[in-house]
Amino acid sequence: MTFTIPIDNGDSVKNAEADSQRTLYPYVTGTSIVAIKYKDGVLMASDMGGSYGSTLRYKNIERMKAIGKHSLLGASGEISDFQEILRYLDELVLNDNMWDDGNSLGPKEVHNYLTRVMYNRRNKFNPLWNTLVLGGVKNGESYLGMVSMIGVSFEDNHVATGFGNHLARPILRDEWHADLSFEDGVKLLEKCMRVLLYRDRSAINKLQIAKITEEGVTVSQPYSLNTFWEFKAFHNPTAGAEGSW
Amino acid sequence: MFRNQYDTDVTTWSPTGRLFQVEYAMEAVKQGSAAIGLRSSSHVVLACVNKAQSELSSHQKKIFKVDDHIGVAIAGLTADGRVLSRYMRSESINHSFTYESPLPVGRLVVHLADKAQVCTQRSWKRPYGVGLLVGGLDESGAHLYYNCPSGNYFEYQAFAIGSRSQAAKTYLERRFESFADSSREDLIKDAILAVRETLQGETLKSSLCTVSVLGVGEPFHFLDQEAIQKMIDTFEKVPEEEEGDAEVAAPAEQGGGADGLGDQDVAPMEM
């Protein structure tokens, strides 16, 4: 995907900044988010890594944030764009609170607002380079949806971004069912995150799990998964090919 | 309130702290034909009297659907009312598009009130000459608001505006405490009875009134004439014990479309 058509910010002869104002490539990126609906609400997992190309540069980035009283937003992709989105949502929630009238933005409203933002940016060839996961609970109803950088938006019982789509979703398709308990939900997410840890090179072994229920949002402290590397094939890996690198 | 030297501009205060132009705009509301609104915890009913310019013409539309969950009844300059209804529809649909969720009626009336307020503070504008009874649903249930040309808005259990609305208000004041738990049918019946109060003697027929309902699980819609007539028939046949006044067999001398005394010189735009 290339975004090389210039915005009409005047011609590049007179206005040298014209082209540099559009997002062309992502720089610091977060990898997958995996999320599922469970009995009391929604569970979401992400690692805390921010990659700078192939370097695992930042290891303490929180890629999941609470939005208002009823929603939780997780983002993969460009971290600075995620921060920009958080600023937009901050303003949105602020204005909603200022009404002070008993009405509040639920996850459905936030999801649709984000869809409009992402799609409109895409139409201007200046996307926010993220795939967002929006989960929440309001009035007893759980909600889980996703929006991509080109504005594709949908809801489902389980979602994943980036590599998670390829590695986590098959697991979820087989093993997710309605009314998972909290423990089972976390086990399922950890299973997905472990696979991602083994196979996604931009994943790091420091993850958080966030839960949102009618009571609100809790994001766990960072922790790491146990991994197993004692496969026989890993012992003496160069046997049979000495001298090669 | 009579002609004085402080009433030329809406931006001129009187020495006693009044804006006469705004008050005159509220007079325009009082001249329009009656509109009535009542609500229970789950439904809102809006009703109005159908007034026609002459026997030859059709009556003006005074109740508008703003969205599935919001309706508005107007009294006063119907042209102003139409424009504000369009604004309300626009706000409602824009909200729905962005948030895929119905605009809470409480927020809509604030937008409306702010819009009206602007016209009380610009020398090149005039206040809207229309009162709006806005009925709608939001997270906390059914609501009824009255927006007036001054830019104020109030929430009501039941209210009536327009000419001879005092008669309807008196009726509603007697009954409003029971409205919160009223069934949908009782609420509609009370609305029609309140309309009858404003007719003062004229025989109540379904052609004389328009009734609309909205509620939890029921999108805004108008009741058809048959349904209204059926409801009228349930109480018009039985002589009223509670109401005391309002004759059923009133002589038909007043004729169709008559406004009764004192309204003959109402300006044509104030319907």
Side-chain angles (χ1 to χ4, degrees):
Chain A
M1 226 174 332
T2 52
F3 289 83
T4 52
I5 298 168
I7 286 182
D8 188 20
N9 192 4
D11 58 281
S12 302
V13 174
K14 291 185 196 159
N15 185 0
E17 285 105 53
D19 239 20
S20 68
Q21 288 183 17
R22 297 181 299 111
T23 302
L24 296 171
Y25 332 96
Y27 285 93
V28 179
T29 56
T31 186
S32 325
I33 302 264
V34 188
I36 55 174
K37 280 193 195 171
Y38 78 111
K39 184 167 59 97
D40 305 323
V42 172
L43 283 168
M44 201 183 290
S46 82
D47 71 14
M48 298 193 76
S51 302
Y52 186 60
S54 54
T55 310
L56 296 176
R57 179 139 175 214
Y58 301 103
K59 308 234 182 130
N60 200 25
I61 303 207
E62 278 205 32
R63 295 193 290 115
M64 297 183 295
K65 291 286 183 182
I67 310 292
K69 291 193 282 274
H70 306 282
S71 315
L72 174 65
L73 175 68
S76 66
E78 173 61 56
I79 300 298
S80 63
D81 282 349
F82 174 50
Q83 290 170 347
E84 179 84 344
I85 288 167
L86 289 176
R87 269 192 290 276
Y88 284 150
L89 289 174
D90 210 32
E91 205 178 310
L92 189 73
V93 170
L94 179 71
N95 286 322
D96 191 45
N97 288 338
M98 287 205 305
W99 278 103
D100 197 19
D101 65 351
N103 291 300
S104 56
L105 290 170
K108 181 170 165 162
E109 287 82 8
V110 178
H111 184 218
N112 280 286
Y113 171 79
L114 288 171
T115 307
R116 289 294 115 231
V117 171
M118 301 299 271
Y119 184 64
N120 278 312
R121 290 288 298 252
R122 165 263 196 197
N123 284 339
K124 297 195 272 204
F125 282 94
N126 185 19
L128 290 159
W129 208 286
N130 295 108
T131 307
L132 304 169
V133 174
L134 202 296
V137 187
K138 191 170 176 207
N139 297 334
E141 287 200 33
S142 305
Y143 186 92
L144 180 59
M146 220 171 94
V147 195
S148 79
M149 65 189 269
I150 55 172
V152 173
S153 158
F154 57 89
E155 288 175 62
D156 207 341
N157 291 321
H158 47 81
V159 297
T161 69
F163 263 89
N165 270 310
H166 302 105
L167 299 174
R169 292 202 83 180
I171 301 175
L172 295 172
R173 281 187 207 116
D174 272 346
E175 299 187 23
W176 183 90
H177 58 87
D179 296 318
L180 281 162
S181 70
F182 175 73
E183 290 72 29
D184 285 342
V186 171
K187 267 216 266 284
L188 187 55
L189 282 179
E190 283 183 348
K191 187 169 180 179
C192 296
M193 295 303 280
R194 188 172 286 107
V195 172
L196 286 166
L197 181 58
Y198 282 130
R199 295 294 177 175
D200 178 6
R201 75 152 183 199
S202 17
I204 61 167
N205 196 3
K206 184 176 175 193
L207 69 145
Q208 291 179 302
I209 299 222
K211 133 172 112 97
I212 178 161
T213 62
E214 191 76 53
E215 278 83 54
V217 176
T218 19
V219 184
S220 74
Q221 287 293 29
Y223 68 105
S224 44
L225 296 169
N226 298 320
T227 55
F228 181 75
W229 297 95
E230 300 311 311
F231 292 105
K232 263 184 46 190
F234 295 163
H235 289 143
N236 204 6
T238 55
E242 304 282 351
S244 64
W245 60 278
Chain B
M1 169 171 2
F2 302 109
R3 197 89 182 66
N4 56 59
Q5 54 180 160
Y6 307 110
D7 67 356
T8 313
D9 262 318
V10 73
T11 50
T12 304
W13 289 100
S14 81
T16 54
R18 295 159 72 168
L19 289 170
F20 282 109
Q21 280 294 305
V22 176
E23 295 183 24
Y24 296 166
M26 295 183 6
E27 277 301 306
V29 177
K30 295 182 199 164
Q31 301 293 345
S33 62
I36 287 142
L38 340 62
R39 67 156 167 138
S40 69
S41 51
S42 59
H43 287 79
V44 183
V45 177
L46 296 169
C48 71
V49 172
N50 295 343
K51 195 198 256 187
Q53 277 274 64
S54 73
E55 280 183 42
L56 300 167
S57 76
S58 61
H59 63 85
Q60 286 208 321
K61 188 163 170 197
K62 283 161 53 77
I63 303 184
F64 299 90
K65 171 176 170 174
V66 170
D67 204 336
D68 283 334
H69 69 295
I70 302 180
V72 60
I74 63 172
L77 268 61
T78 37
D80 283 3
R82 209 177 50 240
V83 158
L84 288 176
S85 301
R86 188 165 55 233
Y87 170 74
M88 292 166 77
R89 286 172 175 169
S90 178
E91 289 296 291
S92 199
I93 214 172
N94 285 338
H95 189 274
S96 277
F97 175 70
T98 310
Y99 301 102
E100 272 243 13
S101 194
L103 173 62
V105 62
R107 297 192 181 186
L108 179 61
V109 294
V110 174
H111 287 309
L112 201 50
D114 288 346
K115 195 167 157 72
Q117 190 280 340
V118 168
C119 298
T120 66
Q121 211 175 6
R122 307 278 186 272
S123 60
W124 62 91
K125 285 182 181 263
R126 64 156 178 82
Y128 287 104
V130 65
L132 303 114
L133 281 171
V134 184
L137 296 177
D138 67 20
E139 269 178 39
S140 39
H143 297 270
L144 175 69
Y145 294 91
Y146 170 54
N147 279 69
C148 76
S150 62
N152 282 325
Y153 68 97
F154 309 94
E155 187 165 1
Y156 288 94
Q157 190 73 43
F159 201 49
I161 55 178
S163 72
R164 285 176 296 186
S165 56
Q166 189 50 56
K169 271 191 266 195
T170 312
Y171 173 82
L172 294 168
E173 273 166 27
R174 282 205 297 268
R175 309 277 296 248
F176 78 94
E177 264 145 353
S178 63
F179 289 165
D181 303 313
S182 263
S183 71
R184 178 186 174 276
E185 280 62 42
D186 282 341
L187 209 64
I188 297 173
K189 189 163 137 203
D190 276 317
I192 299 176
L193 283 168
V195 167
R196 189 178 63 169
E197 296 297 309
T198 68
L199 294 172
Q200 278 184 356
E202 224 180 311
T203 322
L204 176 62
K205 309 192 277 271
S206 67
S207 56
L208 281 176
C209 59
T210 305
V211 183
S212 69
V213 189
L214 68 95
V216 175
E218 187 178 350
F220 178 96
H221 64 100
F222 290 97
L223 294 182
D224 62 49
Q225 295 296 98
E226 240 183 80
I228 300 174
Q229 190 57 51
K230 247 198 248 161
M231 190 139 278
I232 294 173
D233 292 338
T234 62
F235 51 77
E236 283 288 275
K237 288 211 196 91
V238 181
E240 281 348 277
E241 308 100 291
E242 311 142 76
E243 265 73 72
D245 48 345
E247 296 64 58
V248 172
E253 297 132 24
Q254 284 105 330
D259 302 331
L261 301 156
D263 272 19
Q264 280 105 354
D265 53 349
V266 70
M269 56 188 178
E270 293 161 341
M271 300 280 264

PDB file of all heavy atoms in Angstrom, chain B residues 167-182:
ATOM      1  N   ALA B 167     -56.836  26.284  29.258  1.00  0.00           N
ATOM      2  CA  ALA B 167     -57.876  25.296  29.559  1.00  0.00           C
ATOM      3  C   ALA B 167     -57.269  23.894  29.598  1.00  0.00           C
ATOM      4  O   ALA B 167     -57.556  23.095  30.497  1.00  0.00           O
ATOM      5  CB  ALA B 167     -58.990  25.363  28.510  1.00  0.00           C
ATOM      6  N   ALA B 168     -56.408  23.621  28.625  1.00  0.00           N
ATOM      7  CA  ALA B 168     -55.763  22.301  28.604  1.00  0.00           C
ATOM      8  C   ALA B 168     -54.852  22.145  29.802  1.00  0.00           C
ATOM      9  O   ALA B 168     -54.808  21.088  30.434  1.00  0.00           O
ATOM     10  CB  ALA B 168     -54.970  22.130  27.308  1.00  0.00           C
ATOM     11  N   LYS B 169     -54.123  23.213  30.144  1.00  0.00           N
ATOM     12  CA  LYS B 169     -53.189  23.139  31.275  1.00  0.00           C
ATOM     13  C   LYS B 169     -53.936  22.861  32.568  1.00  0.00           C
ATOM     14  O   LYS B 169     -53.468  22.099  33.409  1.00  0.00           O
ATOM     15  CB  LYS B 169     -52.400  24.451  31.410  1.00  0.00           C
ATOM     16  CG  LYS B 169     -51.111  24.443  30.588  1.00  0.00           C
ATOM     17  CD  LYS B 169     -50.230  25.611  30.934  1.00  0.00           C
ATOM     18  CE  LYS B 169     -50.511  26.755  29.988  1.00  0.00           C
ATOM     19  NZ  LYS B 169     -49.475  27.785  30.010  1.00  0.00           N
ATOM     20  N   THR B 170     -55.100  23.487  32.709  1.00  0.00           N
ATOM     21  CA  THR B 170     -55.893  23.244  33.922  1.00  0.00           C
ATOM     22  C   THR B 170     -56.259  21.768  34.006  1.00  0.00           C
ATOM     23  O   THR B 170     -56.158  21.152  35.071  1.00  0.00           O
ATOM     24  CB  THR B 170     -57.171  24.099  33.895  1.00  0.00           C
ATOM     25  OG1 THR B 170     -56.817  25.426  33.551  1.00  0.00           O
ATOM     26  CG2 THR B 170     -57.869  24.077  35.242  1.00  0.00           C
ATOM     27  N   TYR B 171     -56.688  21.227  32.885  1.00  0.00           N
ATOM     28  CA  TYR B 171     -57.017  19.793  32.853  1.00  0.00           C
ATOM     29  C   TYR B 171     -55.802  18.947  33.199  1.00  0.00           C
ATOM     30  O   TYR B 171     -55.880  18.026  34.020  1.00  0.00           O
ATOM     31  CB  TYR B 171     -57.540  19.432  31.455  1.00  0.00           C
ATOM     32  CG  TYR B 171     -57.744  17.953  31.275  1.00  0.00           C
ATOM     33  CD1 TYR B 171     -58.901  17.329  31.742  1.00  0.00           C
ATOM     34  CD2 TYR B 171     -56.774  17.166  30.660  1.00  0.00           C
ATOM     35  CE1 TYR B 171     -59.075  15.963  31.606  1.00  0.00           C
ATOM     36  CE2 TYR B 171     -56.942  15.813  30.505  1.00  0.00           C
ATOM     37  CZ  TYR B 171     -58.097  15.216  30.984  1.00  0.00           C
ATOM     38  OH  TYR B 171     -58.255  13.862  30.844  1.00  0.00           O
ATOM     39  N   LEU B 172     -54.676  19.291  32.614  1.00  0.00           N
ATOM     40  CA  LEU B 172     -53.464  18.489  32.842  1.00  0.00           C
ATOM     41  C   LEU B 172     -52.994  18.615  34.288  1.00  0.00           C
ATOM     42  O   LEU B 172     -52.509  17.647  34.879  1.00  0.00           O
ATOM     43  CB  LEU B 172     -52.352  18.924  31.883  1.00  0.00           C
ATOM     44  CG  LEU B 172     -52.606  18.645  30.407  1.00  0.00           C
ATOM     45  CD1 LEU B 172     -51.583  19.368  29.536  1.00  0.00           C
ATOM     46  CD2 LEU B 172     -52.591  17.164  30.104  1.00  0.00           C
ATOM     47  N   GLU B 173     -53.146  19.802  34.838  1.00  0.00           N
ATOM     48  CA  GLU B 173     -52.710  19.991  36.233  1.00  0.00           C
ATOM     49  C   GLU B 173     -53.469  19.087  37.189  1.00  0.00           C
ATOM     50  O   GLU B 173     -52.938  18.628  38.187  1.00  0.00           O
ATOM     51  CB  GLU B 173     -52.910  21.446  36.669  1.00  0.00           C
ATOM     52  CG  GLU B 173     -51.729  22.337  36.317  1.00  0.00           C
ATOM     53  CD  GLU B 173     -52.046  23.808  36.420  1.00  0.00           C
ATOM     54  OE1 GLU B 173     -52.941  24.166  37.222  1.00  0.00           O
ATOM     55  OE2 GLU B 173     -51.410  24.592  35.704  1.00  0.00           O
ATOM     56  N   ARG B 174     -54.714  18.835  36.842  1.00  0.00           N
ATOM     57  CA  ARG B 174     -55.519  17.968  37.725  1.00  0.00           C
ATOM     58  C   ARG B 174     -55.019  16.530  37.650  1.00  0.00           C
ATOM     59  O   ARG B 174     -55.135  15.779  38.595  1.00  0.00           O
ATOM     60  CB  ARG B 174     -56.987  17.976  37.275  1.00  0.00           C
ATOM     61  CG  ARG B 174     -57.759  19.208  37.695  1.00  0.00           C
ATOM     62  CD  ARG B 174     -59.242  18.864  37.766  1.00  0.00           C
ATOM     63  NE  ARG B 174     -59.782  18.478  36.469  1.00  0.00           N
ATOM     64  CZ  ARG B 174     -60.356  19.328  35.617  1.00  0.00           C
ATOM     65  NH1 ARG B 174     -60.457  20.594  35.916  1.00  0.00           N
ATOM     66  NH2 ARG B 174     -60.818  18.894  34.457  1.00  0.00           N
ATOM     67  N   ARG B 175     -54.485  16.150  36.492  1.00  0.00           N
ATOM     68  CA  ARG B 175     -54.223  14.730  36.242  1.00  0.00           C
ATOM     69  C   ARG B 175     -52.755  14.330  36.188  1.00  0.00           C
ATOM     70  O   ARG B 175     -52.443  13.161  36.147  1.00  0.00           O
ATOM     71  CB  ARG B 175     -54.853  14.353  34.899  1.00  0.00           C
ATOM     72  CG  ARG B 175     -56.283  14.743  34.745  1.00  0.00           C
ATOM     73  CD  ARG B 175     -57.148  13.714  35.375  1.00  0.00           C
ATOM     74  NE  ARG B 175     -56.983  12.475  34.668  1.00  0.00           N
ATOM     75  CZ  ARG B 175     -57.914  11.900  33.928  1.00  0.00           C
ATOM     76  NH1 ARG B 175     -59.088  12.475  33.809  1.00  0.00           N
ATOM     77  NH2 ARG B 175     -57.673  10.758  33.319  1.00  0.00           N
ATOM     78  N   PHE B 176     -51.843  15.307  36.167  1.00  0.00           N
ATOM     79  CA  PHE B 176     -50.470  14.966  35.781  1.00  0.00           C
ATOM     80  C   PHE B 176     -49.785  13.981  36.711  1.00  0.00           C
ATOM     81  O   PHE B 176     -48.885  13.263  36.310  1.00  0.00           O
ATOM     82  CB  PHE B 176     -49.614  16.230  35.635  1.00  0.00           C
ATOM     83  CG  PHE B 176     -49.150  16.815  36.941  1.00  0.00           C
ATOM     84  CD1 PHE B 176     -47.900  16.486  37.462  1.00  0.00           C
ATOM     85  CD2 PHE B 176     -49.961  17.688  37.651  1.00  0.00           C
ATOM     86  CE1 PHE B 176     -47.468  17.018  38.665  1.00  0.00           C
ATOM     87  CE2 PHE B 176     -49.535  18.220  38.836  1.00  0.00           C
ATOM     88  CZ  PHE B 176     -48.297  17.890  39.359  1.00  0.00           C
ATOM     89  N   GLU B 177     -50.176  13.977  37.976  1.00  0.00           N
ATOM     90  CA  GLU B 177     -49.465  13.099  38.910  1.00  0.00           C
ATOM     91  C   GLU B 177     -49.591  11.627  38.540  1.00  0.00           C
ATOM     92  O   GLU B 177     -48.747  10.824  38.920  1.00  0.00           O
ATOM     93  CB  GLU B 177     -49.973  13.312  40.343  1.00  0.00           C
ATOM     94  CG  GLU B 177     -49.078  14.270  41.094  1.00  0.00           C
ATOM     95  CD  GLU B 177     -49.831  15.147  42.070  1.00  0.00           C
ATOM     96  OE1 GLU B 177     -51.075  15.104  42.066  1.00  0.00           O
ATOM     97  OE2 GLU B 177     -49.166  15.866  42.815  1.00  0.00           O
ATOM     98  N   SER B 178     -50.643  11.308  37.804  1.00  0.00           N
ATOM     99  CA  SER B 178     -50.806   9.890  37.441  1.00  0.00           C
ATOM    100  C   SER B 178     -50.117   9.543  36.128  1.00  0.00           C
ATOM    101  O   SER B 178     -50.065   8.391  35.741  1.00  0.00           O
ATOM    102  CB  SER B 178     -52.292   9.572  37.327  1.00  0.00           C
ATOM    103  OG  SER B 178     -52.836  10.350  36.277  1.00  0.00           O
ATOM    104  N   PHE B 179     -49.597  10.530  35.428  1.00  0.00           N
ATOM    105  CA  PHE B 179     -49.075  10.272  34.084  1.00  0.00           C
ATOM    106  C   PHE B 179     -47.854   9.369  34.069  1.00  0.00           C
ATOM    107  O   PHE B 179     -47.694   8.569  33.163  1.00  0.00           O
ATOM    108  CB  PHE B 179     -48.724  11.576  33.350  1.00  0.00           C
ATOM    109  CG  PHE B 179     -49.921  12.384  32.938  1.00  0.00           C
ATOM    110  CD1 PHE B 179     -49.776  13.703  32.562  1.00  0.00           C
ATOM    111  CD2 PHE B 179     -51.187  11.831  32.913  1.00  0.00           C
ATOM    112  CE1 PHE B 179     -50.875  14.459  32.183  1.00  0.00           C
ATOM    113  CE2 PHE B 179     -52.297  12.573  32.541  1.00  0.00           C
ATOM    114  CZ  PHE B 179     -52.136  13.898  32.174  1.00  0.00           C
ATOM    115  N   ALA B 180     -46.976   9.541  35.077  1.00  0.00           N
ATOM    116  CA  ALA B 180     -45.714   8.780  35.046  1.00  0.00           C
ATOM    117  C   ALA B 180     -45.974   7.284  34.896  1.00  0.00           C
ATOM    118  O   ALA B 180     -45.239   6.593  34.192  1.00  0.00           O
ATOM    119  CB  ALA B 180     -44.897   9.062  36.289  1.00  0.00           C
ATOM    120  N   ASP B 181     -47.050   6.793  35.543  1.00  0.00           N
ATOM    121  CA  ASP B 181     -47.321   5.351  35.465  1.00  0.00           C
ATOM    122  C   ASP B 181     -48.442   5.017  34.499  1.00  0.00           C
ATOM    123  O   ASP B 181     -48.872   3.880  34.437  1.00  0.00           O
ATOM    124  CB  ASP B 181     -47.712   4.811  36.850  1.00  0.00           C
ATOM    125  CG  ASP B 181     -46.636   5.090  37.871  1.00  0.00           C
ATOM    126  OD1 ASP B 181     -45.462   4.832  37.542  1.00  0.00           O
ATOM    127  OD2 ASP B 181     -46.965   5.573  38.968  1.00  0.00           O
ATOM    128  N   SER B 182     -48.890   6.005  33.764  1.00  0.00           N
ATOM    129  CA  SER B 182     -49.992   5.752  32.827  1.00  0.00           C
ATOM    130  C   SER B 182     -49.622   4.733  31.782  1.00  0.00           C
ATOM    131  O   SER B 182     -48.474   4.629  31.371  1.00  0.00           O
ATOM    132  CB  SER B 182     -50.313   7.054  32.071  1.00  0.00           C
ATOM    133  OG  SER B 182     -51.370   7.712  32.654  1.00  0.00           O
TER     134      SER B 182
END
